Amino acid sequence: MLYRLIRPAIFALDPERAHRLTIAALKWKPAGTPPAPGPLAIDVAGLRFPNPVGLAAGFDKDGEVPDAMLGMGFGFVEVGSITPKPQAGNPRPRLFRLAEDRAVINRMGFNNGGAEAALARLARRERRGILGINIGANKDSPDRVADYATMAGLMAPHADYLAVNISSPSTPGLRALQDEGALTGLLDAVIGARGVKGPPVFLKVAPDLEPADIDAIGRIAVEKQLGALIVSNTTISRPPLQSRYAGEAGGLSGAPLRLLALERLRDFRKATDGRIPLIGVGGIATAEDAWERIRAGASLAQLYSAMIYEGPGIARRIVRGMEALLRRDGFASVAEAVGSE
Ligand SMILES: Cc1cc2nc3c(=O)[nH]c(=O)nc-3n(C[C@H](O)[C@H](O)[C@H](O)COP(=O)(O)O)c2cc1C
């Protein structure tokens, strides 16, 4: 509610500046406590999620405020993407609010402070709540697979899960790692580096995949016993948009991504036949949206863009709404509702 009042002031600022200020404010605020397991609690990849509503990667790229966000009611928080070396990302402007479309376009290009700085922060935090660390490769790296392996080794001791992001559209050539041959090698390297006792490995995919890619990725995910597939990252496609920023290059997220991400989730459900847990992301703004994703086969949901429009109270609102939908549909647990459509 309060967010409604301050949103005009935030939206008057350049989006990237608004984001920096938000992170700075969150660093000041006492973190609070992560949500306790409620009626929506679910076990995925050996982890007990207190609720299935997570914060997607990209909001807290450097792992500065995971505990503040857990304290806002998110059942899990994914920080990153983090790369081995610090990197500036693409020239500004590179982040655009498409307010008329409840959407965002970004071509940040993995701007982040690098592994060392993130480690210093994440290694000293008290381990409470579920923290995913999303890992990426440096743009100028001569060996991107080695970058992912390095990151997996460094971050494994501090993560409840690792998310391998090979689906950002803003690092040239990155998405080619989704190809069958490349993906097998990449995952072998990451799983090796993560160690036998390391956290589960999740893989984050693009929504702009062909059916043959989806089948191959699904098959490899099962073969490598991934902890989950995260479906999906932003899209390079452009569904009809109203905003004057519609023509900006980059990945589109928010409301216009919703149906595409839902379709891809269904495709991955079919391709994996329930053998790998799925995480639904893309255009989720309401409890109904999240519930639709669960019914379509997701065990967990994540969001980012809707929080820009609705404020950080969105996590608690969606959780409350989903609790009502669970009761309405007569399910005893979220696990029972997964894929029930
Ligand atoms: C500004 C911005 C930065 C992002 N950065 C990352 C990132 O670093 N790594 C990643 O895996 N996804 C990143 N994402 C993608 C989100 O995690 C999410 O997959 C996507 O935005 C779709 O969800 P949404 O519609 O709820 O925003 C970013 C998204 C936005 C809007």
Side-chain angles (χ1 to χ4, degrees):
M1 284 300 108
L2 177 65
Y3 191 74
R4 288 262 159 81
L5 298 176
I6 62 170
R7 195 176 66 182
I10 294 177
F11 276 29
L13 298 172
D14 158 72
E16 208 171 328
R17 204 174 135 68
H19 178 254
R20 266 320 312 162
L21 285 171
T22 305
I23 298 279
L26 287 166
K27 282 173 119 168
W28 272 90
K29 177 190 151 300
T33 46
L40 302 178
I42 181 165
D43 295 323
V44 177
L47 300 165
R48 163 132 278 224
F49 291 76
N51 71 57
V53 181
L55 177 62
F59 174 75
D60 187 8
K61 282 187 187 267
D62 287 305
E64 295 175 282
V65 293
D67 297 299
M69 301 316 289
L70 289 165
M72 299 275 190
F74 283 102
F76 61 113
V77 168
E78 190 172 309
V79 301
S81 298
I82 306 168
T83 58
K85 288 188 284 172
Q87 110 182 349
N90 289 319
R92 298 184 196 194
R94 53 192 182 177
L95 177 60
F96 305 89
R97 264 186 228 110
L98 286 69
E100 298 88 336
D101 304 297
R102 293 247 151 184
V104 174
I105 289 177
N106 91 84
R107 51 170 181 272
M108 305 299 286
F110 283 173
N111 59 305
N112 78 106
E116 198 181 320
L119 260 184
R121 263 179 228 117
L122 296 172
R124 66 164 187 255
R125 73 180 271 276
E126 193 187 330
R127 292 288 286 277
R128 307 191 293 175
I130 296 186
L131 176 75
I133 303 183
N134 180 307
I135 61 177
N138 282 114
K139 183 181 175 189
D140 62 2
S141 168
D143 185 350
R144 286 188 175 156
V145 171
D147 277 20
Y148 285 96
T150 300
M151 290 304 297
L154 287 172
M155 296 299 163
H158 310 289
D160 294 298
Y161 70 84
L162 294 170
V164 177
N165 174 18
I166 47 170
S167 47
S168 165
S170 304
T171 297
L174 191 82
R175 287 169 302 145
L177 289 169
Q178 294 177 127
D179 296 346
E180 194 166 357
L183 184 57
T184 305
L186 170 71
L187 290 175
D188 285 340
V190 166
I191 290 165
R194 167 278 314 252
V196 271
K197 287 193 170 159
V201 173
F202 296 4
L203 181 70
K204 185 163 178 181
V205 298
D208 311 311
L209 291 170
E210 301 296 324
D213 305 325
I214 294 171
D215 287 341
I217 293 170
R219 194 168 0 94
I220 295 168
V222 172
E223 200 177 288
K224 302 294 172 197
Q225 301 186 340
L226 295 186
L229 281 167
I230 307 176
V231 186
S232 70
N233 215 309
T234 58
T235 179
I236 55 170
S237 72
R238 289 293 181 270
L241 298 167
Q242 305 300 316
S243 164
R244 66 192 166 111
Y245 298 118
E248 290 292 344
L252 173 73
S253 57
L257 173 59
R258 186 174 66 86
L259 288 177
L260 179 62
L262 176 62
E263 265 325 297
R264 283 302 160 273
L265 179 73
R266 290 186 173 129
D267 294 343
F268 273 99
R269 172 81 177 174
K270 238 183 247 141
T272 56
D273 205 13
R275 282 175 295 177
I276 295 286
L278 303 174
I279 302 180
V281 205
I284 294 175
T286 66
E288 284 75 16
D289 296 342
W291 192 239
E292 183 178 42
R293 231 52 76 99
I294 300 285
R295 303 274 318 249
S299 298
L300 301 166
Q302 287 180 316
L303 63 89
Y304 177 179
S305 298
M307 189 172 68
I308 296 172
Y309 292 102
E310 307 288 337
I314 192 169
R316 286 207 179 89
R317 283 197 292 276
I318 291 183
V319 168
R320 264 203 309 275
M322 287 176 81
E323 287 172 1
L325 292 168
L326 180 87
R327 284 195 299 274
R328 181 198 70 185
D329 292 348
F331 292 107
S333 66
V334 171
E336 209 175 83
V338 172
S340 61
E341 72 174 11

